[in-house]
Amino acid sequence: MDRRFYLYFCMQKFTWALIALASAFSAKAQTVMIDRAPSGVQNMRAVQGGGMMVSVDTVTSLDALIKRLNGNWEFVETGKAYWIGYTDDMYSIAARKEKAIEPLLDFIKTSANEGGKFGAVYSLHLIGIDSRIAGRFYEEFTNKKARQALLSLLKEKKLQGPVTHLLMRDPWQSDIPTLFDALRQPSEGNWGVVNALKIHFLPGLPIQQRIPAEIAEVDFAYPRMKSQTFKQQLDAEARHEMSVYDAQVLGILRAIRALNNPILRVEDSLLAAPRFWGRSMTEFGCKNCIGVGGKRLTVGTFLEHLAESRVQYFVEGNELVMCNTQQAQQRILAWWDAQPAAFRTQFNQDQADKRRGHQVRWGF
């Protein structure tokens, strides 16, 4: 994964330099910075303590601005993980509105630079929300052409994660048929689409159903280990691609299997997965999401914090089965194909999801 994409999705730390910069834009700088809701003003970057106007470049050509995405850019520090630190170049590209959509898609198709492709995806999202940040985990998507451009990128496996992440910040029910079409491509890389479908709360979706209390409350010893211990274990198992957090999840899944509880099943295919999370989390994230509650953990608490993960589960009878993405997508497709045409076509209307008013916390 490109370092720039990784850095944004890791838990961002609050920096004093950012505080000083944000204070300069406030008429009344205060010692304690308040986490204010973004204003929704166009080209106003959301940051801890207030907003920062972006200086949009109207002189440089669109082609030159897009080519800059191949450079060593970084997301701008916002002080909060839920605010995306779009760069000045992204804002400048988005200011060209729909004129930039096709050039961005052409750039994604032709560029060999993974970081450049990520930058183009985020630029398309900025166009889609009219460069207005008004929420924390949600921005209203207003440009249909930009949304169609992002949906067309679902077939790009390395981009599927960021594309679905951005689309789900304002889920549209009209995305659902396209998501199912993307799911027909047999690949473990479809974890982003599977997780996106969960956000839509489709009635009867055969994964991630409500977990019965007798299953959710099953507890077990939480296998907390120091980072060095994890790394030694990973080296022994040749899992060099896994993060420390991946190893933690692996340890938890093994602990659940070791219970030999007939109402809990962990599939072999899941344990064989090279990575569990679509994006890694820091040690801080591990302790605050999975490690809550001391030395023991419940099955329900563990699964509750697995948003945007390759770990999937379903309830069948009185048994909970934890499986990988491929098994989950097979269940989902079989269910979708068995639905009457009237059920499937109701999602063809070009509109936002009826539940768009709820705040989707996609991730941490």
Side-chain angles (χ1 to χ4, degrees):
M1 179 178 290
D2 188 272
R3 180 171 177 269
R4 285 158 288 197
F5 184 45
Y6 168 81
L7 285 177
Y8 164 65
F9 285 120
C10 286
M11 297 293 286
Q12 297 186 42
K13 290 190 176 181
F14 178 76
T15 63
W16 290 109
L18 177 63
I19 295 175
L21 189 58
S23 297
F25 285 84
S26 174
K28 296 181 179 180
Q30 299 179 9
T31 303
V32 179
M33 292 306 235
I34 300 171
D35 184 5
R36 299 173 182 169
S39 65
V41 173
Q42 192 174 53
N43 299 320
M44 174 77 78
R45 181 182 289 119
V47 295
Q48 172 77 11
M52 298 167 55
M53 284 301 299
V54 176
S55 178
V56 173
D57 184 345
T58 60
V59 177
T60 305
S61 69
L62 175 61
D63 182 60
L65 287 169
I66 293 175
K67 286 181 178 178
R68 284 181 187 173
L69 297 174
N70 275 332
N72 191 29
W73 61 267
E74 299 281 355
F75 283 107
V76 176
E77 176 64 60
T78 65
K80 292 292 182 180
Y82 42 69
W83 285 325
I84 301 173
Y86 306 96
T87 67
D88 287 1
D89 282 343
M90 292 176 189
Y91 274 101
S92 298
I93 292 169
R96 312 299 171 90
K97 300 185 181 298
E98 291 187 359
K99 292 181 180 179
I101 293 177
E102 285 302 323
L104 283 168
L105 288 175
D106 290 340
F107 173 79
I108 290 171
K109 293 175 183 177
T110 58
S111 175
N113 186 297
E114 189 172 310
K117 291 175 181 283
F118 284 143
V121 166
Y122 281 87
S123 299
L124 284 170
H125 184 249
L126 260 184
I127 295 171
I129 63 174
D130 198 28
S131 299
R132 300 175 189 273
I133 311 299
R136 289 183 172 85
F137 303 100
Y138 170 85
E139 297 92 18
E140 184 173 0
F141 216 104
T142 58
N143 190 299
K144 179 183 174 181
K145 289 185 178 180
R147 194 172 190 94
Q148 290 300 322
L150 286 175
L151 286 167
S152 73
L153 297 174
L154 288 175
K155 61 181 178 291
E156 301 281 343
K157 294 305 178 186
K158 288 186 177 181
L159 299 180
Q160 195 179 89
V163 167
T164 51
H165 165 79
L166 294 169
L167 289 173
M168 289 307 102
R169 292 177 73 92
D170 182 12
W172 286 22
Q173 70 171 24
S174 50
D175 294 346
I176 291 174
T178 305
L179 291 171
F180 274 103
D181 287 343
L183 203 62
R184 296 188 187 281
Q185 303 177 57
S187 170
E188 182 65 22
N190 284 331
W191 60 267
V193 173
V194 171
N195 286 304
L197 285 170
K198 293 185 310 192
I199 298 296
H200 284 283
F201 301 106
L202 285 166
L205 191 71
I207 64 166
Q208 304 251 354
Q209 304 100 320
R210 187 187 68 83
I211 304 175
E214 61 270 22
I215 297 177
E217 293 170 6
V218 172
D219 69 339
F220 55 93
Y222 172 53
R224 185 191 295 271
M225 289 186 284
K226 295 180 180 179
S227 297
Q228 189 59 38
T229 307
F230 272 124
K231 291 176 182 177
Q232 290 172 355
Q233 179 176 319
L234 297 185
D235 289 341
E237 298 183 4
R239 293 178 180 272
H240 56 87
E241 295 263 338
M242 293 177 69
S243 68
V244 172
Y245 193 79
D246 288 326
Q248 256 190 329
V249 173
L250 177 61
I252 291 172
L253 291 171
R254 286 176 172 171
I256 293 174
R257 173 177 267 199
L259 293 174
N260 292 317
N261 191 319
I263 63 175
L264 295 169
R265 175 155 49 104
V266 179
E267 297 281 17
D268 291 338
S269 57
L270 179 58
L271 294 175
R275 294 184 63 226
F276 295 108
W277 278 71
R279 46 190 160 96
S280 300
M281 295 181 71
T282 61
E283 283 291 326
F284 177 84
C286 296
K287 293 173 183 176
N288 282 271
C289 281
I290 297 298
V292 172
K295 296 182 179 179
R296 297 194 70 80
L297 187 68
T298 66
V299 170
T301 300
F302 168 59
L303 294 176
E304 179 186 353
H305 288 99
L306 282 180
E308 198 168 1
S309 169
R310 287 172 170 81
V311 178
Q312 304 296 333
Y313 67 86
F314 59 90
V315 177
E316 198 166 60
N318 63 345
E319 182 183 34
L320 183 139
V321 181
M322 284 166 257
C323 63
N324 66 7
T325 301
Q326 289 171 314
Q327 289 171 286
Q329 72 183 44
Q330 289 169 6
R331 287 181 61 84
I332 293 171
L333 284 173
W335 168 80
W336 178 254
D337 291 341
Q339 300 305 308
F343 177 86
R344 296 196 301 270
T345 57
Q346 69 176 305
F347 303 109
N348 292 341
Q349 297 180 31
D350 180 36
Q351 63 184 46
D353 192 283
K354 294 177 181 178
R355 287 161 293 277
R356 63 180 293 178
H358 79 281
Q359 188 182 61
V360 175
R361 190 179 183 192
W362 183 253
F364 311 140

